Amino acid sequence: MQLAVRNRKMKNSIYLDYNATTPCDKEVVEAMLPYFSDTFGNASSQHHAFGWLASDALEQSAHSLSKVLGVSSNELVFTSGATESCNAIIKGVFEAASPHKNHIITTLTEHKAVLDVCKQLEKKGAKVTYLEVDNQGIISLDALKKAITEQTALVCIMWANNETGVLQPLDSISAICKNKGVLLFSDATQALGKIKLDSFFNWVDFACFSAHKIYGPKGVGLLFSKKSAHSHWVSFIQGGGQQRKLRGGTYNIPGIVGLAKAIALNLKTQEETSQRLEKFRNQIENKLGQIEGVQVNGGLADRLPNTLNVSIAYVDGEQLLNVLGQEIAVSNGSACNSASVQPSHVLTAMGVESTLAMASLRISLGKFNTQIEVEQAVDRIKQSVANLRAKNILWTDR
Ligand code: PLP
């Protein structure tokens, strides 16, 4: 397809894939712009004004983040995104732990940025427990308690799931980990800016975030390491000694400025935005729920206000995404590899049967969505489902 055609299609599409990525806020772009070509110095150059200005921007960004998140700036490390932060924490804790502490506990529904790291560490001798979830996507607190042993180095449990929006009971999980004296890492990439932070930074020892999920730039993220947990991980990116030797490499000043601005802006309006998006999400959920054979995945659990995951019986998931993709940007959690398309590991873990898991849609709303878009999207989904079912003999002959 030609670039011009793709551009036209994009402009005419309704974007409902905010959990995949978000557009940068205009104010974020404006804040970043000077640091590309005017104030372009290296923040580590401490002998001239170019460097001083860059390090001022770095300091201000760290200060702003520390204020809005309610943590010390020494507890924050800038990374290239949540994937790097997950790698750094899990690998870093595993490497720092004494050899007998080689046990990691996680869940079957984590993002691949956690699961693939755990799989990799298994090859290096780690023992990993993958906690199951119930049909709403929630882990059992009893199973967590039982899984923790003397060997456990780290518990990794995400706050909000990227596919279903389902929230794990992090306060109770934290209480168990504290009681057992085990470190807790929570991937809060999808939660930030969508729900209240509450006591999050008291609950966890480590956390990760990503700017591009919260109307900031791609390629920059955060790692939170509580002061008391600093000595429990080692960095795997050396060179240059930046960030208290925790993550070497020249500071990405435009990215860091953008990250800090995006987080500050969006936390300020989080409650109001979430209320509006939840109303939209519920409208879509109610309307799609009226279609025969539609189930809401994780619908009974506490969820992110912007996220809806539905499975639609009697349609081919790939065909549905292809048809919808002409007009609406949504996604599903299936993973393509060269041999086949696999159903979402998240839905599979929740017990969703494979054909239904393949026929799932994740609709994730964001602050630029409008009432009209919501109504149009519902109409298009309903129409596409009806068209596909009309051609499906299993539906017509049922
Ligand atoms: N964790 C979760 C829950 C996510 O949704 C994502 C992105 O989809 C990531 C981690 C990875 O984030 P990044 O794109 O910043 O590497």
Side-chain angles (χ1 to χ4, degrees):
M1 203 189 297
Q2 281 177 344
L3 190 61
V5 178
R6 289 198 163 163
N7 264 319
R8 201 172 51 244
K9 276 192 186 293
M10 188 180 81
K11 289 210 173 92
N12 292 330
S13 285
I14 300 172
Y15 190 74
L16 302 176
D17 204 11
Y18 281 81
N19 285 9
T21 196
T22 59
C24 247
D25 267 321
K26 294 233 164 13
E27 276 183 76
V28 169
V29 177
E30 271 164 31
M32 292 171 71
L33 277 177
Y35 296 98
F36 285 103
S37 36
D38 295 336
T39 313
F40 63 88
N42 185 327
S44 302
S45 302
Q46 280 307 299
H47 299 288
H48 50 69
F50 295 84
W52 299 331
L53 283 168
S55 77
D56 285 350
L58 176 66
E59 229 173 81
Q60 278 159 20
S61 300
H63 177 71
S64 156
L65 283 167
S66 122
K67 231 170 78 184
V68 294
L69 298 176
V71 300
S72 155
S73 55
N74 283 334
E75 295 178 308
L76 299 173
V77 179
F78 297 110
T79 64
S80 65
T83 301
E84 182 190 319
S85 303
C86 291
N87 271 265
I89 294 160
I90 304 170
K91 290 177 183 168
V93 169
F94 179 72
E95 198 173 318
S98 55
H100 83 281
K101 282 226 167 206
N102 64 347
H103 181 222
I104 296 169
I105 298 172
T106 187
T107 80
L108 284 171
T109 53
E110 296 299 300
H111 191 273
K112 294 286 179 176
V114 166
L115 290 177
D116 285 354
V117 174
C118 289
K119 292 256 144 61
Q120 181 72 17
L121 288 182
E122 282 181 292
K123 292 184 196 148
K124 297 189 170 176
K127 302 272 178 274
V128 183
T129 300
Y130 298 92
L131 295 174
E132 293 182 354
V133 295
D134 64 16
N135 63 5
Q136 296 303 308
I138 308 285
I139 63 150
S140 146
L141 295 174
D142 262 355
L144 170 63
K145 268 186 222 158
K146 285 189 189 127
I148 297 175
T149 69
E150 287 292 305
Q151 276 80 49
T152 308
L154 184 65
V155 171
C156 311
I157 298 181
M158 71 196 323
W159 196 1
N161 187 274
N162 44 302
E163 290 187 31
T164 57
V166 166
L167 303 174
Q168 295 296 344
L170 214 56
D171 48 351
S172 309
I173 290 169
S174 166
I176 292 170
C177 291
K178 282 193 168 121
N179 184 258
K180 301 252 185 186
V182 176
L183 295 167
L184 173 62
F185 159 46
S186 185
D187 174 355
T189 306
Q190 292 291 347
L192 187 68
K194 294 179 187 142
I195 52 175
K196 269 196 200 135
L197 272 171
D198 211 334
S199 300
F200 179 74
F201 291 103
N202 289 328
W203 295 334
V204 302
D205 298 288
F206 299 103
C208 67
F209 308 96
S210 180
H212 77 99
K213 307 288 188 186
I214 180 166
Y215 308 92
K218 292 168 184 60
V220 57
L222 265 188
L223 180 168
F224 166 76
S225 163
K226 194 173 264 170
K227 226 173 258 166
S228 54
H230 279 354
S231 59
H232 293 283
W233 68 288
V234 290
S235 149
F236 71 95
I237 300 188
Q238 283 83 41
Q242 289 91 345
Q243 308 206 56
R244 308 173 302 285
K245 296 199 176 156
L246 290 172
R247 202 267 192 180
T250 301
Y251 289 100
N252 168 10
I253 298 296
I256 290 167
V257 168
L259 167 85
K261 186 79 184 175
I263 293 181
L265 274 178
N266 286 288
L267 289 190
K268 218 189 312 174
T269 51
Q270 180 266 312
E271 263 188 89
E272 162 196 335
T273 309
S274 294
Q275 273 171 20
R276 196 168 66 86
L277 297 185
E278 186 165 26
K279 225 190 281 166
F280 286 166
R281 195 271 312 272
N282 292 345
Q283 282 176 23
I284 303 177
E285 182 168 329
N286 289 339
K287 290 197 177 132
L288 295 186
Q290 288 162 12
I291 305 175
E292 191 185 330
V294 167
Q295 73 176 47
V296 178
N297 298 313
L300 300 178
D302 273 347
R303 274 176 301 163
L304 292 176
N306 77 318
T307 308
L308 173 65
N309 191 305
V310 288
S311 287
I312 307 172
Y314 298 105
V315 295
D316 179 288
E318 214 178 326
Q319 276 181 12
L320 180 63
L321 268 192
N322 283 340
V323 172
L324 286 178
Q326 305 299 318
E327 298 177 310
I328 313 178
V330 288
S331 73
N332 69 6
S334 60
C336 299
N337 60 38
S338 53
S340 61
V341 182
Q342 302 292 329
S344 144
H345 70 281
V346 174
L347 299 184
T348 305
M350 289 164 69
V352 179
E353 179 265 318
S354 138
T355 39
L356 266 186
M358 296 283 272
S360 69
L361 290 182
R362 176 187 72 181
I363 295 166
S364 50
L365 300 152
K367 66 179 179 182
F368 298 117
N369 286 132
T370 62
Q371 178 69 43
I372 290 176
E373 286 182 326
V374 164
E375 285 163 19
Q376 286 176 344
V378 168
D379 287 346
R380 285 172 198 178
I381 296 170
K382 277 171 123 176
Q383 194 57 55
S384 304
V385 170
N387 291 346
L388 287 174
R389 281 178 169 174
K391 292 182 214 147
N392 182 353
I393 194 160
L394 291 174
W395 169 258
T396 49
D397 288 4
R398 78 195 183 286

